Amino acid sequence: MLNWLKKDPVKKLQKQYEQKLEQAMLAARNGDMRANASLTEEAEALRDKIEKLKNA
């Protein structure tokens, strides 16, 4: 009945995913490949969660 009041968890995860990718890009530009790799890994985990929510 009040579903329109609920926040969409996919939107929140999508925003976090995009932020992680941007942080990874900036780390790569600065030459910090370890940070780039870890941030990219975190972004991929978020993408997996997004896909699971979309398919559920």
Side-chain angles (χ1 to χ4, degrees):
M1 183 167 136
L2 296 175
N3 286 339
W4 58 276
L5 290 176
K6 292 183 182 177
K7 298 214 181 216
D8 188 12
V10 174
K11 285 184 181 180
K12 182 179 177 184
L13 287 174
Q14 184 68 35
K15 188 174 182 178
Q16 289 176 350
Y17 172 70
E18 291 171 3
Q19 288 175 343
K20 288 289 179 186
L21 285 179
E22 186 174 350
Q23 290 172 354
M25 177 198 60
L26 292 174
R29 281 187 182 173
N30 291 331
D32 191 356
M33 290 299 134
R34 287 184 189 205
N36 178 30
S38 66
L39 289 167
T40 302
E41 186 177 334
E42 291 175 20
E44 293 299 318
L46 286 171
R47 192 189 73 196
D48 290 341
K49 286 182 185 179
I50 291 169
E51 290 300 320
K52 286 180 183 177
L53 285 174
K54 284 183 178 180
N55 291 334

